[in-house]
Amino acid sequence: MSSVVVVGTQWGDEGKGKIVDLLTRYADYVVRFQGGNNAGHTLVVEGKKFVFHIIPSGILYEDKMCMIGNGVIIDPGVLISEIDELQKQGLTVSPDRLMISERAHLIMPYHSSLDQAKEAALSDSKKIGTTGRGIGPCYMDKIGRVGITAGDLLDDALFREKLKVAVDEENFLLTKKYNVAPVDYEEIYNLYQDYAEKLTPFYGNVSVELDKARKKKQNILFEGAQGTQLDIDHGTYPFVTSSNTIAGNACNGSGFGPAHIDAVVGIMKAYTTRVGAGPFPTELFDETGNQLQEKGCEFGATTGRRRRCGWLDGVVANDATRLNGLTGLAITKLDVLSGQKKIKMATSYELEGKTISAMPSNIKQAGAVIPVYESLEGWQEDIDNVREYEALPKQAKDYIRRVEDFTGVPANIVSVGPDRAETLMLTNPFEK
């Protein structure tokens, strides 16, 4: 058996969903281990588009077991809508195919109200760029030990007690500090009773089930959301998400022992994008940046927001290599670079006359660094029809080799288009 973790190496939006979908064919279990519905995966299979927000994209395979781990925070309404939509598209989403950890925390209506109110109260220069979906406030309640878990819905008295305390406190903040409308206790209680009726059949102990799978020598795929530079501890704080996005959290967020992880695949877009505010050293404000944005269809799967675009950042890539312990790379959207005469990659930063090789922890310094580039020859051919690595243009292969040499990590997979078929598998991370 093998256990493989898939993580983003940049600021998210690297194409993890497609790579997870590709690797799922070799897995028995697919596990989402962090984040909430502020993230999304878009997959194109035989021309049909699927968008996932919470459910692991492995649900596309009828013979796979998908799991939502304890590290995920769940908006029950969004999850139920996602289940309904996938079923309308002909997929089976049932308790024998999807398990939800009873320890996963729930996003409540007051979380999204508070999220939006806090962001609105900030000046433009201080805004984080939150999606307003309640992610931060939910994780705050979790760490503050006042959160409501999925399992709490199984105990009516406990749920009522915790909800009453939470509503009283959150309404004080909403009305007194932010001057917005309060939430209604009875309305939330009744709504979440309806949610419980629909979701409790999916509840289970994800940690126990994964251990059983390991002992049966079954393959397990861990699916991360967002990217390394959005990690709450190691990213461009405070312009980050509210969870740990790096590979180590695959264990914390699912209850799986770290000694049992065999490989970590880093998904790396062939250029770099970022959604929302925060430092982005290689961001392009010229026609090249517009070309990457348009050709790459760079809009968020969940938010619809336009992504900022720039050249590949080798400093960010090496940060991801170190923080995640990457054993392989999946290079995505290589086809978007077709037509560029020169392709650049940042190999270091300059800051106050010094050369640095890692993202500064000081957010002001992170915003002030100047990328140092090297240039590589581009290629003019369209490569979306290429199905063998050797058939790629020489310049494309040279670019891939340069990324491998710079990071010290081999490429397992190269993606040359959005469809499932437009993927080159160089080595399979499930094969030890």
Side-chain angles (χ1 to χ4, degrees):
M1 58 82 68
S2 292
S3 297
V4 176
V5 181
V6 170
V7 292
T9 61
Q10 298 157 324
W11 281 279
D13 309 311
E14 301 96 348
K16 294 181 294 297
K18 179 186 177 181
I19 304 305
V20 169
D21 173 65
L22 174 72
L23 294 178
T24 293
R25 69 185 67 177
Y26 307 104
D28 300 294
Y29 288 74
V30 184
V31 188
R32 171 81 180 269
F33 61 84
Q34 52 79 217
N37 60 296
N38 58 331
H41 294 325
T42 301
L43 297 181
V44 180
V45 181
E46 297 178 353
K48 191 172 183 180
K49 183 177 178 181
F50 298 88
V51 180
F52 300 89
H53 301 290
I54 305 174
I55 297 174
S57 45
I59 203 75
L60 288 174
Y61 292 79
E62 293 287 343
D63 59 339
K64 312 299 180 181
M65 183 66 184
C66 293
M67 295 185 160
I68 299 174
N70 56 276
V72 179
I73 54 174
I74 299 170
D75 184 321
V78 172
L79 178 55
I80 290 168
S81 295
E82 188 170 340
I83 290 172
D84 291 343
E85 181 60 32
L86 290 173
Q87 289 180 329
K88 287 179 184 177
Q89 292 180 280
L91 299 177
T92 302
V93 186
S94 57
D96 61 344
R97 297 203 57 227
L98 175 67
M99 178 180 288
I100 301 169
S101 172
E102 295 178 359
R103 294 178 179 269
H105 280 244
L106 299 180
I107 299 174
M108 309 299 290
Y110 47 78
H111 288 139
S112 53
S113 295
L114 189 59
D115 198 1
Q116 294 165 27
K118 289 177 69 175
E119 185 79 354
L122 296 173
S123 64
D124 288 344
S125 62
K126 299 291 185 181
K127 291 185 186 297
I128 301 298
T130 174
T131 60
R133 287 168 166 77
I135 306 301
C138 183
Y139 274 118
M140 287 171 65
D141 279 358
K142 177 178 179 176
I143 298 303
R145 296 170 292 181
V146 293
I148 294 175
T149 68
D152 289 338
L153 294 181
L154 301 173
D155 186 326
D156 186 66
L158 177 62
F159 177 59
R160 279 187 174 276
E161 177 186 344
K162 295 180 75 171
L163 180 61
K164 183 66 170 62
V165 171
V167 167
D168 287 347
E169 181 173 341
E170 303 296 352
N171 275 344
F172 178 83
L173 288 173
L174 290 169
T175 59
K176 302 300 182 184
K177 184 173 183 179
Y178 296 109
N179 196 32
V180 297
V183 296
D184 183 83
Y185 167 85
E186 288 296 336
E187 184 178 313
I188 295 174
Y189 173 79
N190 292 330
L191 178 63
Y192 277 66
Q193 289 302 106
D194 291 341
Y195 290 158
E197 184 177 346
K198 295 176 181 178
L199 292 180
T200 50
F202 293 90
Y203 286 0
N205 191 320
V206 167
S207 177
V208 168
E209 292 304 312
L210 288 178
D211 196 52
K212 290 179 182 177
R214 179 185 67 82
K215 290 174 179 176
K216 292 178 182 177
K217 301 188 181 304
Q218 293 179 297
N219 287 344
I220 305 170
L221 180 62
F222 294 89
E223 173 183 352
Q226 288 104 9
T228 298
Q229 288 294 334
L230 291 177
D231 186 274
I232 188 68
D233 285 306
H234 302 285
T236 48
Y237 186 91
F239 300 98
V240 293
T241 193
S242 297
S243 62
N244 288 110
T245 61
I246 62 174
N249 197 31
C251 299
N252 291 335
S254 64
F256 193 74
H260 305 311
I261 299 296
D262 298 295
V264 181
V265 179
I267 315 304
M268 182 180 296
K269 195 177 288 186
Y271 49 101
T272 311
T273 62
R274 177 164 199 170
V275 171
F280 184 178
T282 64
E283 185 172 10
L284 294 171
F285 300 95
D286 57 8
E287 183 57 30
T288 300
N290 291 333
Q291 289 172 359
L292 294 175
Q293 197 278 328
E294 292 171 8
K295 190 172 182 179
C297 301
E298 294 295 353
F299 294 92
T302 295
T303 64
R305 291 185 293 182
R306 188 182 192 275
R307 295 175 186 147
R308 302 152 64 190
C309 297
W311 294 119
L312 182 66
D313 191 326
V315 175
V316 166
N318 276 345
D319 279 352
T321 299
R322 181 185 71 255
L323 291 166
N324 294 290
L326 298 182
T327 60
L329 296 174
I331 298 175
T332 60
K333 290 200 167 183
L334 187 67
D335 55 301
V336 176
L337 294 180
S338 294
Q340 297 292 336
K341 292 182 179 179
K342 294 286 185 180
I343 298 171
K344 294 183 179 181
M345 180 176 73
T347 54
S348 63
Y349 299 149
E350 283 189 2
L351 178 65
E352 299 172 355
K354 297 180 179 179
T355 299
I356 59 175
S357 57
M359 181 70 73
S361 59
N362 181 301
I363 196 63
K364 290 184 178 180
Q365 292 181 342
V369 299
I370 300 171
V372 177
Y373 290 109
E374 67 175 50
S375 293
L376 296 92
E377 292 296 322
W379 60 93
Q380 302 307 304
E381 304 95 319
D382 288 331
I383 60 173
D384 54 336
N385 289 320
V386 172
R387 294 296 177 266
E388 297 291 337
Y389 179 78
E390 289 305 319
L392 286 171
K394 176 182 181 300
Q395 297 91 332
K397 289 184 286 188
D398 288 344
Y399 182 62
I400 293 169
R401 277 193 291 269
R402 179 61 183 131
V403 174
E404 291 179 315
D405 291 342
F406 189 77
T407 60
V409 182
N412 295 139
I413 300 165
V414 176
S415 173
V416 295
D419 198 272
R420 179 186 279 175
E422 296 171 323
T423 316
L424 314 179
M425 177 79 85
L426 282 61
T427 56
N428 187 343
F430 275 104
E431 296 176 356
K432 297 181 182 180

